[in-house]
Amino acid sequence: GESVGLHLPTLSVQEGDNSIINCAYSNSASDYFIWYKQESGKGPQFIIDIRSNMDKRQGQRVTVLLNKTVKHLSLQIAATQPGDSAVYFCAEGSPNTGFQKLVFGTGTRLLVSP
Amino acid sequence: GAVVSQHPSWVICKSGTSVKIECRSLDFQATTMFWYRQFPKQSLMLMATSNEGSKATYEQGVEKDKFLINHASLTLSTLTVTSAHPEDSSFYICSAQTTGRVETQYFGPGTRLLVL
């Protein structure tokens, strides 16, 4: 069945390091991907998205890379700060589920040490 | 922009009572809103998709008679947990989608429900 999963449940980094959070998806028809950040007790916050016609998209301190060949998605955070500590979810949208619906991955906890 | 609010932020109720949670898009119109449920240290599980003016579409395994969803306007959707039981205790999160073909979902802050 469809699934969106993550390789690492917890990632610990030092402040100032670059962080890379990975996500694997299994639905080859997925054509829209989003990264969300969720802090404890709060709702997910949109970080960045990418469509399948792109391989890379950059935002402020964040970059999303998409490798459709191996169905892999990653989120890179530059100069990680303690405020980046949170759980990060990838989510996918695909035509066969309707563009409106997203499937979420299991989440990766990012811990940033000062 | 794209702010979504939820009310209440937390609620404690007795078993057997019903609880209503509101989800509002504050600065945009949302033809579609979604309701998710999240258990501790787990991912978001979609419960239902709510389209303004029509019946909600529930995911497999979600009881529509227990989780009543109403989307009466382009800025408001409500989730009512009827006859709540302790196993319904969870973090309920709504999201709203802007108009368009593939658009980002913007999430509310969540409502923590504790059923005693």
Side-chain angles (χ1 to χ4, degrees), chain A residues 17-60:
Chain A
D17 288 350
N18 295 331
S19 302
I20 300 177
I21 300 172
N22 297 301
C23 179
Y25 64 95
S26 59
N27 187 354
S28 57
S30 294
D31 64 351
Y32 181 58
F33 303 89
I34 309 175
W35 281 101
Y36 287 95
K37 171 186 179 183
Q38 186 178 28
E39 296 175 279
S40 181
K42 298 182 179 180
Q45 176 187 358
F46 171 84
I47 301 175
I48 191 168
D49 60 359
I50 187 169
R51 298 178 188 266
S52 60
N53 61 352
M54 302 173 67
D55 297 322
K56 178 180 179 179
R57 191 164 186 225
Q58 289 184 298
Q60 187 176 10

mmCIF file of all heavy atoms in Angstrom, chain A residues 17-60:
data_model
loop_
_atom_site.group_PDB
_atom_site.id
_atom_site.type_symbol
_atom_site.label_atom_id
_atom_site.label_comp_id
_atom_site.label_asym_id
_atom_site.label_seq_id
_atom_site.Cartn_x
_atom_site.Cartn_y
_atom_site.Cartn_z
ATOM 1 N N ASP A 17 25.584 23.279 12.944
ATOM 2 C CA ASP A 17 25.758 22.226 11.938
ATOM 3 C C ASP A 17 24.622 22.284 10.921
ATOM 4 O O ASP A 17 23.582 22.900 11.165
ATOM 5 C CB ASP A 17 25.756 20.852 12.597
ATOM 6 C CG ASP A 17 27.019 20.583 13.383
ATOM 7 O OD1 ASP A 17 27.979 21.376 13.264
ATOM 8 O OD2 ASP A 17 27.040 19.581 14.125
ATOM 9 N N ASN A 18 24.836 21.600 9.817
ATOM 10 C CA ASN A 18 23.765 21.403 8.849
ATOM 11 C C ASN A 18 23.042 20.096 9.165
ATOM 12 O O ASN A 18 23.674 19.104 9.535
ATOM 13 C CB ASN A 18 24.321 21.359 7.427
ATOM 14 C CG ASN A 18 24.938 22.685 7.018
ATOM 15 O OD1 ASN A 18 24.540 23.752 7.482
ATOM 16 N ND2 ASN A 18 25.933 22.624 6.134
ATOM 17 N N SER A 19 21.740 20.101 9.027
ATOM 18 C CA SER A 19 20.933 18.905 9.306
ATOM 19 C C SER A 19 20.307 18.398 8.022
ATOM 20 O O SER A 19 19.905 19.186 7.169
ATOM 21 C CB SER A 19 19.813 19.233 10.299
ATOM 22 O OG SER A 19 20.325 19.743 11.504
ATOM 23 N N ILE A 20 20.226 17.086 7.936
ATOM 24 C CA ILE A 20 19.562 16.472 6.785
ATOM 25 C C ILE A 20 18.559 15.450 7.309
ATOM 26 O O ILE A 20 18.923 14.509 8.013
ATOM 27 C CB ILE A 20 20.558 15.775 5.850
ATOM 28 C CG1 ILE A 20 21.572 16.781 5.309
ATOM 29 C CG2 ILE A 20 19.805 15.106 4.688
ATOM 30 C CD1 ILE A 20 22.644 16.154 4.436
ATOM 31 N N ILE A 21 17.316 15.664 6.958
ATOM 32 C CA ILE A 21 16.246 14.751 7.353
ATOM 33 C C ILE A 21 15.733 14.076 6.091
ATOM 34 O O ILE A 21 15.438 14.747 5.099
ATOM 35 C CB ILE A 21 15.110 15.504 8.068
ATOM 36 C CG1 ILE A 21 15.667 16.195 9.329
ATOM 37 C CG2 ILE A 21 13.980 14.558 8.441
ATOM 38 C CD1 ILE A 21 14.680 17.114 10.006
ATOM 39 N N ASN A 22 15.623 12.773 6.148
ATOM 40 C CA ASN A 22 15.263 12.006 4.962
ATOM 41 C C ASN A 22 13.860 11.428 5.034
ATOM 42 O O ASN A 22 13.308 11.213 6.117
ATOM 43 C CB ASN A 22 16.254 10.855 4.774
ATOM 44 C CG ASN A 22 17.656 11.345 4.528
ATOM 45 O OD1 ASN A 22 17.900 12.075 3.564
ATOM 46 N ND2 ASN A 22 18.577 10.994 5.401
ATOM 47 N N CYS A 23 13.319 11.159 3.871
ATOM 48 C CA CYS A 23 11.978 10.603 3.774
ATOM 49 C C CYS A 23 11.902 9.737 2.529
ATOM 50 O O CYS A 23 12.372 10.142 1.459
ATOM 51 C CB CYS A 23 10.954 11.742 3.696
ATOM 52 S SG CYS A 23 9.249 11.212 3.537
ATOM 53 N N ALA A 24 11.343 8.553 2.674
ATOM 54 C CA ALA A 24 11.125 7.674 1.533
ATOM 55 C C ALA A 24 9.636 7.547 1.286
ATOM 56 O O ALA A 24 8.854 7.491 2.235
ATOM 57 C CB ALA A 24 11.734 6.303 1.792
ATOM 58 N N TYR A 25 9.261 7.538 0.050
ATOM 59 C CA TYR A 25 7.852 7.344 -0.260
ATOM 60 C C TYR A 25 7.714 6.190 -1.236
ATOM 61 O O TYR A 25 8.656 5.860 -1.965
ATOM 62 C CB TYR A 25 7.221 8.625 -0.816
ATOM 63 C CG TYR A 25 7.786 9.102 -2.129
ATOM 64 C CD1 TYR A 25 7.189 8.777 -3.336
ATOM 65 C CD2 TYR A 25 8.922 9.915 -2.166
ATOM 66 C CE1 TYR A 25 7.702 9.229 -4.544
ATOM 67 C CE2 TYR A 25 9.444 10.364 -3.364
ATOM 68 C CZ TYR A 25 8.827 10.024 -4.546
ATOM 69 O OH TYR A 25 9.348 10.464 -5.733
ATOM 70 N N SER A 26 6.558 5.564 -1.244
ATOM 71 C CA SER A 26 6.401 4.361 -2.065
ATOM 72 C C SER A 26 5.454 4.558 -3.235
ATOM 73 O O SER A 26 5.440 3.731 -4.154
ATOM 74 C CB SER A 26 5.904 3.198 -1.205
ATOM 75 O OG SER A 26 4.659 3.520 -0.603
ATOM 76 N N ASN A 27 4.681 5.644 -3.220
ATOM 77 C CA ASN A 27 3.722 5.865 -4.300
ATOM 78 C C ASN A 27 4.383 6.645 -5.425
ATOM 79 O O ASN A 27 4.618 7.845 -5.313
ATOM 80 C CB ASN A 27 2.499 6.620 -3.773
ATOM 81 C CG ASN A 27 1.398 6.737 -4.817
ATOM 82 O OD1 ASN A 27 1.580 6.349 -5.965
ATOM 83 N ND2 ASN A 27 0.264 7.286 -4.421
ATOM 84 N N SER A 28 4.676 5.958 -6.485
ATOM 85 C CA SER A 28 5.367 6.595 -7.604
ATOM 86 C C SER A 28 4.510 7.649 -8.289
ATOM 87 O O SER A 28 5.020 8.484 -9.040
ATOM 88 C CB SER A 28 5.811 5.549 -8.622
ATOM 89 O OG SER A 28 4.686 4.803 -9.074
ATOM 90 N N ALA A 29 3.213 7.627 -8.022
ATOM 91 C CA ALA A 29 2.325 8.623 -8.621
ATOM 92 C C ALA A 29 2.304 9.930 -7.835
ATOM 93 O O ALA A 29 1.728 10.916 -8.284
ATOM 94 C CB ALA A 29 0.912 8.066 -8.726
ATOM 95 N N SER A 30 2.924 9.952 -6.686
ATOM 96 C CA SER A 30 2.945 11.179 -5.886
ATOM 97 C C SER A 30 3.659 12.276 -6.651
ATOM 98 O O SER A 30 4.733 12.046 -7.224
ATOM 99 C CB SER A 30 3.654 10.938 -4.556
ATOM 100 O OG SER A 30 2.913 10.040 -3.761
ATOM 101 N N ASP A 31 3.066 13.452 -6.653
ATOM 102 C CA ASP A 31 3.686 14.530 -7.419
ATOM 103 C C ASP A 31 3.775 15.841 -6.646
ATOM 104 O O ASP A 31 4.063 16.891 -7.226
ATOM 105 C CB ASP A 31 2.945 14.737 -8.741
ATOM 106 C CG ASP A 31 1.520 15.203 -8.536
ATOM 107 O OD1 ASP A 31 1.054 15.212 -7.376
ATOM 108 O OD2 ASP A 31 0.871 15.564 -9.524
ATOM 109 N N TYR A 32 3.515 15.766 -5.365
ATOM 110 C CA TYR A 32 3.578 16.976 -4.552
ATOM 111 C C TYR A 32 4.025 16.580 -3.160
ATOM 112 O O TYR A 32 3.465 15.655 -2.571
ATOM 113 C CB TYR A 32 2.199 17.644 -4.517
ATOM 114 C CG TYR A 32 2.127 18.926 -3.728
ATOM 115 C CD1 TYR A 32 2.942 20.003 -4.046
ATOM 116 C CD2 TYR A 32 1.231 19.068 -2.684
ATOM 117 C CE1 TYR A 32 2.867 21.191 -3.340
ATOM 118 C CE2 TYR A 32 1.150 20.247 -1.966
ATOM 119 C CZ TYR A 32 1.969 21.301 -2.305
ATOM 120 O OH TYR A 32 1.904 22.473 -1.607
ATOM 121 N N PHE A 33 5.006 17.306 -2.644
ATOM 122 C CA PHE A 33 5.585 16.928 -1.356
ATOM 123 C C PHE A 33 5.757 18.171 -0.484
ATOM 124 O O PHE A 33 6.091 19.250 -0.984
ATOM 125 C CB PHE A 33 6.950 16.257 -1.556
ATOM 126 C CG PHE A 33 6.886 15.058 -2.452
ATOM 127 C CD1 PHE A 33 7.029 15.195 -3.822
ATOM 128 C CD2 PHE A 33 6.677 13.798 -1.922
ATOM 129 C CE1 PHE A 33 6.963 14.092 -4.660
ATOM 130 C CE2 PHE A 33 6.615 12.686 -2.750
ATOM 131 C CZ PHE A 33 6.749 12.843 -4.116
ATOM 132 N N ILE A 34 5.519 17.975 0.789
ATOM 133 C CA ILE A 34 5.619 19.094 1.728
ATOM 134 C C ILE A 34 6.389 18.646 2.958
ATOM 135 O O ILE A 34 6.252 17.498 3.402
ATOM 136 C CB ILE A 34 4.225 19.585 2.192
ATOM 137 C CG1 ILE A 34 3.315 19.849 1.005
ATOM 138 C CG2 ILE A 34 4.353 20.848 3.035
ATOM 139 C CD1 ILE A 34 1.901 20.217 1.406
ATOM 140 N N TRP A 35 7.142 19.548 3.506
ATOM 141 C CA TRP A 35 7.772 19.338 4.812
ATOM 142 C C TRP A 35 7.095 20.237 5.826
ATOM 143 O O TRP A 35 6.889 21.422 5.584
ATOM 144 C CB TRP A 35 9.268 19.653 4.766
ATOM 145 C CG TRP A 35 10.101 18.566 4.172
ATOM 146 C CD1 TRP A 35 10.603 18.510 2.909
ATOM 147 C CD2 TRP A 35 10.523 17.365 4.834
ATOM 148 N NE1 TRP A 35 11.323 17.348 2.743
ATOM 149 C CE2 TRP A 35 11.297 16.634 3.906
ATOM 150 C CE3 TRP A 35 10.351 16.835 6.114
ATOM 151 C CZ2 TRP A 35 11.886 15.407 4.211
ATOM 152 C CZ3 TRP A 35 10.933 15.623 6.422
ATOM 153 C CH2 TRP A 35 11.691 14.921 5.479
ATOM 154 N N TYR A 36 6.768 19.605 6.970
ATOM 155 C CA TYR A 36 6.176 20.338 8.078
ATOM 156 C C TYR A 36 7.056 20.197 9.318
ATOM 157 O O TYR A 36 7.693 19.176 9.526
ATOM 158 C CB TYR A 36 4.785 19.801 8.422
ATOM 159 C CG TYR A 36 3.702 20.136 7.430
ATOM 160 C CD1 TYR A 36 3.354 19.259 6.412
ATOM 161 C CD2 TYR A 36 3.010 21.344 7.522
ATOM 162 C CE1 TYR A 36 2.341 19.559 5.515
ATOM 163 C CE2 TYR A 36 2.002 21.661 6.622
ATOM 164 C CZ TYR A 36 1.671 20.766 5.628
ATOM 165 O OH TYR A 36 0.687 21.070 4.734
ATOM 166 N N LYS A 37 7.016 21.220 10.145
ATOM 167 C CA LYS A 37 7.703 21.213 11.427
ATOM 168 C C LYS A 37 6.641 21.264 12.515
ATOM 169 O O LYS A 37 5.728 22.079 12.462
ATOM 170 C CB LYS A 37 8.613 22.445 11.532
ATOM 171 C CG LYS A 37 9.225 22.686 12.902
ATOM 172 C CD LYS A 37 9.976 24.016 12.931
ATOM 173 C CE LYS A 37 10.582 24.301 14.287
ATOM 174 N NZ LYS A 37 11.250 25.640 14.330
ATOM 175 N N GLN A 38 6.762 20.378 13.484
ATOM 176 C CA GLN A 38 5.796 20.382 14.573
ATOM 177 C C GLN A 38 6.516 20.467 15.912
ATOM 178 O O GLN A 38 7.276 19.564 16.273
ATOM 179 C CB GLN A 38 4.900 19.149 14.546
ATOM 180 C CG GLN A 38 3.787 19.197 15.583
ATOM 181 C CD GLN A 38 2.858 18.002 15.533
ATOM 182 O OE1 GLN A 38 3.246 16.907 15.139
ATOM 183 N NE2 GLN A 38 1.604 18.210 15.932
ATOM 184 N N GLU A 39 6.262 21.536 16.613
ATOM 185 C CA GLU A 39 6.788 21.676 17.961
ATOM 186 C C GLU A 39 5.818 21.039 18.947
ATOM 187 O O GLU A 39 4.634 20.876 18.649
ATOM 188 C CB GLU A 39 7.017 23.155 18.275
ATOM 189 C CG GLU A 39 8.079 23.783 17.372
ATOM 190 C CD GLU A 39 8.224 25.268 17.589
ATOM 191 O OE1 GLU A 39 7.411 26.020 17.049
ATOM 192 O OE2 GLU A 39 9.176 25.670 18.309
ATOM 193 N N SER A 40 6.321 20.720 20.096
ATOM 194 C CA SER A 40 5.530 19.996 21.082
ATOM 195 C C SER A 40 4.243 20.738 21.429
ATOM 196 O O SER A 40 4.267 21.928 21.763
ATOM 197 C CB SER A 40 6.366 19.783 22.356
ATOM 198 O OG SER A 40 5.624 19.058 23.321
ATOM 199 N N GLY A 41 3.118 20.040 21.322
ATOM 200 C CA GLY A 41 1.836 20.610 21.698
ATOM 201 C C GLY A 41 1.259 21.596 20.701
ATOM 202 O O GLY A 41 0.275 22.273 21.002
ATOM 203 N N LYS A 42 1.858 21.672 19.523
ATOM 204 C CA LYS A 42 1.382 22.610 18.510
ATOM 205 C C LYS A 42 1.025 21.885 17.216
ATOM 206 O O LYS A 42 1.376 20.725 17.014
ATOM 207 C CB LYS A 42 2.444 23.672 18.227
ATOM 208 C CG LYS A 42 2.798 24.527 19.432
ATOM 209 C CD LYS A 42 3.811 25.590 19.055
ATOM 210 C CE LYS A 42 4.156 26.464 20.248
ATOM 211 N NZ LYS A 42 5.162 27.515 19.900
ATOM 212 N N GLY A 43 0.340 22.590 16.349
ATOM 213 C CA GLY A 43 0.033 22.033 15.047
ATOM 214 C C GLY A 43 1.228 22.120 14.113
ATOM 215 O O GLY A 43 2.167 22.880 14.352
ATOM 216 N N PRO A 44 1.244 21.327 13.056
ATOM 217 C CA PRO A 44 2.346 21.370 12.088
ATOM 218 C C PRO A 44 2.437 22.727 11.399
ATOM 219 O O PRO A 44 1.420 23.359 11.107
ATOM 220 C CB PRO A 44 1.968 20.277 11.080
ATOM 221 C CG PRO A 44 1.033 19.378 11.816
ATOM 222 C CD PRO A 44 0.273 20.275 12.737
ATOM 223 N N GLN A 45 3.655 23.131 11.155
ATOM 224 C CA GLN A 45 3.922 24.403 10.503
ATOM 225 C C GLN A 45 4.569 24.140 9.151
ATOM 226 O O GLN A 45 5.556 23.420 9.052
ATOM 227 C CB GLN A 45 4.851 25.243 11.380
ATOM 228 C CG GLN A 45 5.293 26.555 10.784
ATOM 229 C CD GLN A 45 6.345 27.250 11.636
ATOM 230 O OE1 GLN A 45 6.715 26.749 12.703
ATOM 231 N NE2 GLN A 45 6.821 28.384 11.188
ATOM 232 N N PHE A 46 4.016 24.730 8.117
ATOM 233 C CA PHE A 46 4.547 24.559 6.760
ATOM 234 C C PHE A 46 5.969 25.096 6.680
ATOM 235 O O PHE A 46 6.267 26.190 7.152
ATOM 236 C CB PHE A 46 3.648 25.296 5.775
ATOM 237 C CG PHE A 46 4.194 25.376 4.382
ATOM 238 C CD1 PHE A 46 4.009 24.343 3.496
ATOM 239 C CD2 PHE A 46 4.899 26.497 3.958
ATOM 240 C CE1 PHE A 46 4.511 24.405 2.209
ATOM 241 C CE2 PHE A 46 5.402 26.579 2.679
ATOM 242 C CZ PHE A 46 5.205 25.531 1.795
ATOM 243 N N ILE A 47 6.845 24.297 6.080
ATOM 244 C CA ILE A 47 8.226 24.743 5.887
ATOM 245 C C ILE A 47 8.475 25.033 4.420
ATOM 246 O O ILE A 47 8.844 26.143 4.036
ATOM 247 C CB ILE A 47 9.226 23.678 6.368
ATOM 248 C CG1 ILE A 47 9.027 23.366 7.844
ATOM 249 C CG2 ILE A 47 10.655 24.154 6.126
ATOM 250 C CD1 ILE A 47 9.905 22.228 8.326
ATOM 251 N N ILE A 48 8.319 24.004 3.593
ATOM 252 C CA ILE A 48 8.630 24.144 2.189
ATOM 253 C C ILE A 48 7.947 23.019 1.428
ATOM 254 O O ILE A 48 7.691 21.948 1.988
ATOM 255 C CB ILE A 48 10.164 24.119 1.961
ATOM 256 C CG1 ILE A 48 10.522 24.543 0.538
ATOM 257 C CG2 ILE A 48 10.747 22.740 2.286
ATOM 258 C CD1 ILE A 48 12.015 24.807 0.344
ATOM 259 N N ASP A 49 7.647 23.260 0.179
ATOM 260 C CA ASP A 49 7.050 22.217 -0.647
ATOM 261 C C ASP A 49 7.794 22.119 -1.967
ATOM 262 O O ASP A 49 8.594 22.988 -2.323
ATOM 263 C CB ASP A 49 5.559 22.468 -0.872
ATOM 264 C CG ASP A 49 5.274 23.796 -1.577
ATOM 265 O OD1 ASP A 49 6.220 24.547 -1.875
ATOM 266 O OD2 ASP A 49 4.087 24.080 -1.817
ATOM 267 N N ILE A 50 7.522 21.038 -2.676
ATOM 268 C CA ILE A 50 8.143 20.845 -3.977
ATOM 269 C C ILE A 50 7.232 19.983 -4.834
ATOM 270 O O ILE A 50 6.595 19.052 -4.331
ATOM 271 C CB ILE A 50 9.542 20.202 -3.826
ATOM 272 C CG1 ILE A 50 10.275 20.162 -5.168
ATOM 273 C CG2 ILE A 50 9.432 18.780 -3.241
ATOM 274 C CD1 ILE A 50 11.752 19.794 -5.035
ATOM 275 N N ARG A 51 7.181 20.302 -6.092
ATOM 276 C CA ARG A 51 6.408 19.491 -7.021
ATOM 277 C C ARG A 51 7.338 18.524 -7.747
ATOM 278 O O ARG A 51 8.548 18.736 -7.797
ATOM 279 C CB ARG A 51 5.681 20.404 -8.015
ATOM 280 C CG ARG A 51 4.682 21.328 -7.340
ATOM 281 C CD ARG A 51 4.017 22.263 -8.337
ATOM 282 N NE ARG A 51 3.216 23.265 -7.648
ATOM 283 C CZ ARG A 51 1.918 23.135 -7.404
ATOM 284 N NH1 ARG A 51 1.282 22.068 -7.791
ATOM 285 N NH2 ARG A 51 1.264 24.087 -6.765
ATOM 286 N N SER A 52 6.759 17.506 -8.343
ATOM 287 C CA SER A 52 7.579 16.442 -8.908
ATOM 288 C C SER A 52 8.329 16.851 -10.157
ATOM 289 O O SER A 52 9.221 16.124 -10.615
ATOM 290 C CB SER A 52 6.707 15.218 -9.224
ATOM 291 O OG SER A 52 5.702 15.559 -10.155
ATOM 292 N N ASN A 53 7.984 18.003 -10.701
ATOM 293 C CA ASN A 53 8.724 18.455 -11.891
ATOM 294 C C ASN A 53 9.997 19.212 -11.507
ATOM 295 O O ASN A 53 10.659 19.790 -12.360
ATOM 296 C CB ASN A 53 7.836 19.312 -12.791
ATOM 297 C CG ASN A 53 7.332 20.556 -12.094
ATOM 298 O OD1 ASN A 53 7.523 20.722 -10.885
ATOM 299 N ND2 ASN A 53 6.678 21.427 -12.834
ATOM 300 N N MET A 54 10.299 19.201 -10.221
ATOM 301 C CA MET A 54 11.503 19.860 -9.736
ATOM 302 C C MET A 54 12.343 18.860 -8.956
ATOM 303 O O MET A 54 11.828 17.893 -8.399
ATOM 304 C CB MET A 54 11.137 21.044 -8.823
ATOM 305 C CG MET A 54 10.270 22.098 -9.486
ATOM 306 S SD MET A 54 9.704 23.337 -8.316
ATOM 307 C CE MET A 54 11.243 24.140 -7.910
ATOM 308 N N ASP A 55 13.655 19.109 -8.912
ATOM 309 C CA ASP A 55 14.563 18.269 -8.140
ATOM 310 C C ASP A 55 14.997 18.949 -6.844
ATOM 311 O O ASP A 55 15.408 18.291 -5.890
ATOM 312 C CB ASP A 55 15.811 17.938 -8.949
ATOM 313 C CG ASP A 55 15.480 17.137 -10.180
ATOM 314 O OD1 ASP A 55 14.586 16.276 -10.088
ATOM 315 O OD2 ASP A 55 16.112 17.369 -11.226
ATOM 316 N N LYS A 56 14.895 20.259 -6.847
ATOM 317 C CA LYS A 56 15.439 21.015 -5.714
ATOM 318 C C LYS A 56 14.674 22.309 -5.566
ATOM 319 O O LYS A 56 14.285 22.931 -6.550
ATOM 320 C CB LYS A 56 16.926 21.300 -5.961
ATOM 321 C CG LYS A 56 17.623 22.109 -4.896
ATOM 322 C CD LYS A 56 19.099 22.305 -5.282
ATOM 323 C CE LYS A 56 19.848 23.128 -4.251
ATOM 324 N NZ LYS A 56 21.280 23.295 -4.629
ATOM 325 N N ARG A 57 14.480 22.686 -4.319
ATOM 326 C CA ARG A 57 13.859 23.976 -4.060
ATOM 327 C C ARG A 57 14.453 24.522 -2.775
ATOM 328 O O ARG A 57 14.622 23.800 -1.798
ATOM 329 C CB ARG A 57 12.343 23.836 -3.923
ATOM 330 C CG ARG A 57 11.620 25.150 -3.919
ATOM 331 C CD ARG A 57 10.146 25.001 -4.175
ATOM 332 N NE ARG A 57 9.540 26.316 -4.291
ATOM 333 C CZ ARG A 57 8.402 26.663 -3.713
ATOM 334 N NH1 ARG A 57 7.750 25.783 -2.970
ATOM 335 N NH2 ARG A 57 7.906 27.867 -3.876
ATOM 336 N N GLN A 58 14.734 25.809 -2.814
ATOM 337 C CA GLN A 58 15.376 26.413 -1.651
ATOM 338 C C GLN A 58 14.491 27.455 -1.011
ATOM 339 O O GLN A 58 13.768 28.183 -1.680
ATOM 340 C CB GLN A 58 16.711 27.052 -2.068
ATOM 341 C CG GLN A 58 17.785 26.030 -2.413
ATOM 342 C CD GLN A 58 19.108 26.688 -2.734
ATOM 343 O OE1 GLN A 58 19.199 27.443 -3.691
ATOM 344 N NE2 GLN A 58 20.124 26.405 -1.943
ATOM 345 N N GLY A 59 14.585 27.494 0.320
ATOM 346 C CA GLY A 59 13.913 28.544 1.054
ATOM 347 C C GLY A 59 14.929 29.222 1.955
ATOM 348 O O GLY A 59 16.142 29.129 1.719
ATOM 349 N N GLN A 60 14.442 29.840 2.984
ATOM 350 C CA GLN A 60 15.360 30.481 3.907
ATOM 351 C C GLN A 60 15.968 29.438 4.825
ATOM 352 O O GLN A 60 15.291 28.824 5.634
ATOM 353 C CB GLN A 60 14.607 31.517 4.747
ATOM 354 C CG GLN A 60 15.506 32.355 5.618
ATOM 355 C CD GLN A 60 14.741 33.442 6.359
ATOM 356 O OE1 GLN A 60 13.517 33.449 6.366
ATOM 357 N NE2 GLN A 60 15.446 34.347 6.965
#
